Structures are given as C-alpha cells and as structure tokens.
Amino acid sequence: MLFFSFFKTLVNHEVTVELKNDISIRGTLKSVDQYLNIKLDDISVVDELKYPHLSSVKNVFIRGSVVRYVHLPAAAVDTPLLEDATRREASQTAAKAKQGT
Amino acid sequence: MENLSLHDAGPQPPGGGQQMPPGPPPVPQLPPQMFTTAAQLLDLTDKKLMVSLRDGRKLIGVLRSWDQFGNLVLQDTVERLFVQNLYADIDRGLFLVRGENVLLLGEIDLDKDDYVPAPFELGSVEKVFALKKAEEQDRKKTDKRRHRKLAELGFEGEHQGEAIL
C-alpha cells in the first residue's frame, strides 16, 4: 500500500510513464488506484510518429501491469519521508507477523 | 464520484495510534473514493476511446460498460491498422474485452477526432490488411530468431509467453 499512498501524493504533478512496449507518455498524473493503474491528462507521447494511434488522445488510463517505469519530478519526492514510511511499514508488517505466530 | 474536487478533504486518519511508532504529522489526504479503478473508469464511460491491446491491436469505440477487473464493453468498434505510412479502419461492432488484455485506454479528443499525423494516409482495407499480415509474419520470424539466440546464451527473453506490443 505504500506506493499507492506515495503516488497519491504525486497527483497533479508531471510524470513520464514508460510502458513495457517502450512507449513513453508524459502527462499530468490525475489518479492512481490500488493496482497502480494510472490516469494521465494532457498527454504527449515521446516519439509520437512511431505511435500514431495516440495522436488524437488527450488523456489515458494505463493498466498498472504494463508500466515499466514512472519518471518522477525529483522536487516532488520527499526521500527521507519515503524512507521513514518504508521503515514504519516494515516494522508494522513484522509486528503483525509476530502476532500471527 | 465525478463531482468530488481535489479540495474536498478525505477523512482524517484516526488519531492516537498507541502502538505505532511515532511518524511524521499526517498529510491531508484526498478522498479515498477518488482513487479506485471504478472512479477512474467512470469518467471514461460513454466516451469514445482508443483501446490498445496486448497483441498490438488498436480498437476505437464507445465504452459502455466495465467492471473492477477492467473488463470492457465497447460499442460501434472499429479496428485501426497502421502499417508503413498507411492506415485503415475495419468495422468490428460490439466488443467484450477481457481486462488482462488491455494495455491502455485513451480518451479521444473530439476536437481532434480521427486526426492521423501527416505521413499516414488512408489506404484500402485489403491492401493495409495484407501489408500488416506480412509485417507481422516478418516480426514473428525475427522474434523467433532472437529468442533462439538468446536461449543459446542462457537468456529467457524479455516477455516470454506474454507478447506486449
């Protein structure tokens, strides 16, 4: 759930999503869900002539399972906070596992 | 769900988590119902969409129904083929697409409806279809060769068993 929450903090930032079929789509992150499906608005496609089917498209819903990378704006990422959250989630998971046994 | 704005605050996280290690102060959250598959697809319902499938097909149709898995019903669908500098549309009709086969859904900007960039020209369906078929066979051949060579070197190849175009 950590990355779901993390992506939620990036809403309305410009990101570039690289798909497993090598298409790179740049746009404003509008929404994300639990599967990390991504909605982008005002898109522009890197190397548009290679992918003519996207030229009349203004916003896309990308299935999470086909995303290879998401390029993030460095300024919008609070790395220490993310590290902290990771440790907290790890300790919570560990505590839960302990309770279970 | 469509009427929610980013300024509507979501519920605040429950206070006083006694056993939790102290964390940073909670950040104001957007309403969680905005971040579901359903909310995302609801905005696209009854819109003209370009659906890109895992086998490389591009379908253009009106999204009429969907579910939480991303299974879709498309009405008045055409399949658009692109090959070299030609394109063609084939009428397909009603589609039910299983969610796992969807790469992306693009909402078509009705101001730029059916805009195809410059080098591409409308070709006859028969010609474009034949060219596409030849291109696919070519690609299959090179893929096969590449996989065989990679396998000799002990690599399994990037999308084995799952062609993503």
Side-chain angles (χ1 to χ4, degrees):
Chain A
M1 287 302 269
L2 184 85
F3 277 87
F4 175 39
S5 310
F6 171 62
F7 274 114
K8 285 203 275 189
T9 68
L10 287 171
V11 163
N12 287 328
H13 286 88
E14 280 263 305
V15 295
T16 306
V17 180
E18 185 180 321
L19 272 51
K20 288 185 190 166
N21 60 354
D22 296 333
I23 302 182
S24 287
I25 303 173
R26 186 167 178 76
T28 313
L29 185 69
K30 275 298 164 194
S31 179
V32 64
D33 66 16
Q34 54 168 333
Y35 308 108
L36 303 188
N37 296 331
I38 287 176
K39 240 181 137 171
L40 295 179
D41 209 351
D42 292 322
I43 60 151
S44 59
V45 181
V46 181
D47 201 1
E48 191 167 5
L49 274 190
K50 242 177 109 183
Y51 311 106
H53 56 286
L54 285 167
S55 52
S56 57
V57 168
K58 59 178 172 184
N59 66 63
V60 286
F61 166 92
I62 303 169
R63 198 178 153 91
S65 63
V66 301
V67 173
R68 185 184 287 142
Y69 301 119
V70 181
H71 305 241
L72 309 168
V77 184
D78 186 346
T79 323
L81 183 75
L82 196 57
E83 286 174 9
D84 240 39
T86 311
R87 289 197 195 96
R88 261 184 309 137
E89 187 163 278
S91 70
Q92 273 170 33
T93 320
K96 243 185 224 158
K98 222 174 177 180
Q99 263 176 13
T101 51
Chain B
M1 260 178 263
E2 269 171 303
N3 297 330
L4 285 168
S5 85
L6 297 185
H7 308 292
D8 294 326
Q12 294 303 316
Q18 294 88 356
Q19 305 119 320
M20 308 238 177
V27 216
Q29 291 282 306
L30 296 166
Q33 63 270 36
M34 281 182 63
F35 297 102
T36 57
T37 319
Q40 292 179 349
L41 288 170
L42 193 62
D43 292 344
L44 296 174
T45 314
D46 296 334
K47 300 266 168 53
K48 190 174 177 184
L49 302 183
M50 192 283 302
V51 181
S52 198
L53 298 184
R54 231 167 38 165
D55 63 357
R57 277 189 232 207
K58 279 90 195 173
L59 305 177
I60 299 174
V62 180
L63 181 65
R64 287 306 186 189
S65 191
W66 43 268
D67 65 11
Q68 72 269 37
F69 308 111
N71 299 324
L72 311 171
V73 175
L74 297 170
Q75 194 186 31
D76 297 329
T77 315
V78 296
E79 178 178 351
R80 185 163 286 176
L81 303 172
F82 289 94
V83 64
Q84 295 164 16
N85 58 357
L86 293 172
Y87 75 94
D89 289 341
I90 304 174
D91 286 326
R92 294 290 193 204
L94 195 68
F95 256 98
L96 196 157
V97 185
R98 191 176 157 91
E100 61 177 331
N101 300 304
V102 175
L103 271 191
L104 65 85
L105 312 175
E107 184 183 342
I108 290 182
D109 188 346
L110 290 174
D111 296 331
K112 290 199 273 180
D113 197 5
D114 285 330
Y115 163 74
V116 178
F120 290 92
E121 287 171 22
L122 187 64
S124 77
V125 173
E126 293 79 18
K127 189 175 167 196
V128 174
F129 189 79
L131 283 169
K132 188 82 188 170
K133 208 165 172 187
E135 192 188 77
E136 249 158 50
Q137 264 165 2
D138 245 30
R139 193 179 45 75
K140 259 187 204 153
K141 245 191 246 163
T142 38
D143 267 10
K144 218 170 173 182
R145 231 183 3 245
R146 184 163 65 233
H147 283 144
R148 210 176 38 233
K149 281 200 174 148
L150 281 169
E152 280 168 19
L153 296 167
F155 291 102
E156 211 189 288
E158 200 175 4
H159 332 284
Q160 278 291 0
E162 190 198 17
I164 295 185
L165 295 171

